[in-house]
Amino acid sequence: MLPEQIHETVQNTLHPVYYGLNKDINFFYWISSIRDVTRLSNSLSVTMKALYEEVFFKDFLHLQLLRLKFPSVFEHISKNFYIYFTTKPVNKYKHQYILKTVEKRSNNSKSNNYELGSYLSKNRDCLFIDEEDIENIVDLLVHIFDKHKYDNNGKQDHLSVVFPLQYRKYFSYNLGESSISEVAFTKARTSTQEEFNSLIQRYVEAGMEHELLNRFNDIRDFNNKEDFEKVITAIFFFGKQKSKRNYNDLYNVGYDASDLMDKLSDYDHSISRKYYNSKTQSEEYKSFLAKLLNDAEYPYAFESTIISEWLKKPSDNLPLSKDELNSIVVNLFEKYCKVAEKLDDYLWSFFNDCKIYKYDAGNEVEVFSEKAKEVFRDFILQKDIDAFLRDLISVNRREEGKYTLNDYVLRIWDTWENFIAMLEENRNKGWKYIPEFLQFYQQVASEGFGNYIKFNFKTIPIKREAIF
């Protein structure tokens, strides 16, 4: 006998098939006697104990039919899965498995259009199957794996065997150490924010950030405002976790900016109407997103990177305008500069996150707001002129000992004259590199900016890696 919950699931799955309410496999080929029913029932009672609500039951049931009727075929597929299946992109976020095809054969057998069908035909004697069996086996797998072959709208259940992160469960009958429990994830999602974040942290600590990333990508709808805000807050929490797949402590797990933007998009006030009961853009929704971004914790890397990616995109469907987003990232940059002591690659990267993208005569132009430039200038003047001068020197990789100046300085000081005047004012304030830099500048200016010149640096340690 099946446990009550599983019995109900089986009944709901088979009822439309039995009464011909939808087009499905030839079920009565697979189950043709009371003995078959008993074997299937016993198999589901055992195998579903660890997988109830962790798999898409219809896929699981169909594969169980194959295992019970043709165990040797099932075992062969499970051991040689990649020979007979390949992946194709479903959309920009994920791939799914489909059956590998072969060139069209001269006979009329549909099964021979697939790698698996060809193998079964060649080995049917040792597998104890006939041509009808092969047709039904292939039909079953086509139904499972190819029924949403051209699905670009997320119709396929996210727990389906067709997805690379899920398929192993269907052949091993357990979650495995590297699988996200759907039951645990859903339970945490419906609990408090703290419990949801705690589950995320445990999965990241276990090295399962990729699996979590895919699980968050799968979320396309929300139950209500509370669920929407909880999931978005959890994504921010997830993105800020330290990656266990990188040895550099500065690297966060991160998150796909496009997917997050899609989730947050208020096009036609869809989010405002659904979850904030507002026919126009909801101020409450706007405040929620602004608070998430403004409440960023040092070193603000996740938020600055996400905002930078959003600012590059032509879409303007977020509740915060691009000017508002840029203001937030510049404020975060200012907070970071107050704490940082040295100009390093991360601070340069942070400054570049403050770019604004505008169009001039049809061409996209990158500029910085006056406040962003002011914050960066103040940091350089107060804390690390020397490192800034070092980073402005470009190395000729083809000719040893030749250098020039990078014109990136013009984005910050507008003109070389303004920049050099600042250096002259600070020449006697303890900065080691200013005198030698001014000598180099004079030679470059005389030869022409952009030309590499010979120069023997004695004070400034030259970096071969380009900053810009």
Side-chain angles (χ1 to χ4, degrees), residues 122 213 387 434 440 454:
K122 293 174 184 176
L213 176 64
I434 289 180
F440 178 61
K454 282 276 187 181

Side-chain angles (χ1 to χ4, degrees), residues 80-249:
N80 301 277
F81 190 84
Y82 298 111
I83 295 177
Y84 305 115
F85 294 87
T86 187
T87 57
K88 72 175 288 290
V90 182
N91 52 45
K92 61 182 177 181
Y93 303 118
K94 63 167 62 175
H95 289 69
Q96 75 175 49
Y97 287 121
I98 57 172
L99 283 164
K100 282 186 181 179
T101 56
V102 295
E103 291 183 11
K104 191 76 175 177
R105 302 303 172 97
S106 57
N107 60 44
N108 295 322
S109 174
K110 182 176 71 175
S111 63
N112 278 337
N113 294 332
Y114 298 95
E115 291 282 1
L116 178 63
S118 296
Y119 171 83
L120 296 178
S121 293
K122 293 174 184 176
N123 296 276
R124 61 184 183 182
D125 290 340
C126 63
L127 293 170
F128 303 105
I129 54 177
D130 58 27
E131 210 46 61
E132 182 189 6
D133 296 328
I134 296 171
E135 289 293 326
N136 278 289
I137 291 169
V138 172
D139 278 346
L140 176 73
L141 294 171
V142 167
H143 178 77
I144 295 171
F145 287 91
D146 286 12
K147 61 181 180 294
H148 288 309
K149 189 173 182 178
Y150 304 104
D151 170 27
N152 295 314
N153 299 310
K155 294 177 183 177
Q156 183 63 279
D157 190 284
H158 72 274
L159 293 176
S160 173
V161 67
V162 304
F163 297 122
L165 285 176
Q166 304 294 339
Y167 89 95
R168 290 187 186 280
K169 294 186 286 188
Y170 290 80
F171 294 96
S172 62
Y173 309 126
N174 59 62
L175 283 179
E177 294 181 358
S178 62
S179 295
I180 297 288
S181 167
E182 182 66 16
V183 173
F185 186 89
T186 302
K187 183 180 178 181
R189 178 177 168 180
T190 57
S191 186
T192 65
Q193 188 74 61
E194 291 71 22
E195 289 190 33
F196 199 12
N197 289 356
S198 178
L199 179 79
I200 291 166
Q201 195 167 33
R202 291 199 301 273
Y203 279 138
V204 172
E205 289 290 333
M208 298 167 65
E209 59 197 60
H210 179 67
E211 290 77 8
L212 262 178
L213 176 64
N214 279 275
R215 184 61 189 88
F216 276 121
N217 276 339
D218 283 327
I219 298 176
R220 288 285 171 265
D221 294 298
F222 307 90
N223 298 326
N224 48 39
K225 171 192 159 189
E226 180 186 7
D227 182 47
F228 171 74
E229 292 189 352
K230 188 183 297 178
V231 170
I232 298 301
T233 302
I235 289 175
F236 271 71
F237 177 81
F238 167 64
K240 290 185 279 192
Q241 299 300 298
K242 287 287 183 284
S243 174
K244 298 300 178 184
R245 298 188 176 189
N246 202 303
Y247 296 108
N248 190 328
D249 288 340

Side-chain angles (χ1 to χ4, degrees), residues 359-363:
Y359 287 88
D360 181 20
N363 297 316

Side-chain angles (χ1 to χ4, degrees), residues 316-452:
D316 199 20
N317 294 321
L318 293 173
L320 295 168
S321 69
K322 291 196 172 184
D323 285 342
E324 289 170 322
L325 288 170
N326 182 255
S327 177
I328 291 172
V329 75
V330 171
N331 287 337
L332 294 177
F333 178 62
E334 184 175 27
K335 289 167 69 175
Y336 183 81
C337 285
K338 288 178 180 178
V339 178
E341 291 299 326
K342 293 185 177 181
L343 176 57
D344 55 16
D345 291 355
Y346 177 71
L347 199 144
W348 271 113
S349 175
F350 206 150
F351 177 62
N352 281 307
D353 287 342
C354 299
K355 287 177 184 173
I356 303 171
Y357 298 83
K358 295 187 175 182
Y359 287 88
D360 181 20
N363 297 316
E364 187 179 71
V365 180
E366 300 175 359
V367 297
F368 291 94
S369 69
E370 287 304 316
K371 181 176 179 181
K373 292 191 287 186
E374 180 184 347
V375 169
F376 200 26
R377 285 196 299 262
D378 287 346
F379 174 86
I380 293 166
L381 287 170
Q382 295 168 20
K383 296 185 176 181
D384 212 349
I385 289 179
D386 281 346
F388 185 74
L389 298 180
R390 177 202 62 206
D391 291 344
L392 287 179
I393 299 169
S394 295
V395 178
N396 189 324
R397 296 181 180 279
R398 295 182 179 179
E399 293 187 63
E400 188 72 26
K402 279 195 169 186
Y403 312 91
T404 192
L405 284 170
N406 194 296
D407 62 2
Y408 202 89
V409 70
L410 302 179
R411 298 189 177 196
I412 306 163
W413 264 274
D414 299 328
T415 68
W416 278 108
E417 290 75 17
N418 291 341
F419 179 62
I420 296 303
M422 179 276 296
L423 292 183
E424 292 288 1
E425 290 175 8
N426 288 272
R427 180 193 280 267
N428 300 316
K429 293 184 180 179
W431 300 106
K432 295 187 298 183
Y433 300 166
I434 289 180
E436 188 172 57
F437 183 89
L438 288 173
Q439 293 174 27
F440 178 61
Y441 167 79
Q442 292 298 333
Q443 291 193 32
V444 171
S446 65
E447 294 287 335
F449 292 102
N451 295 318
Y452 287 94

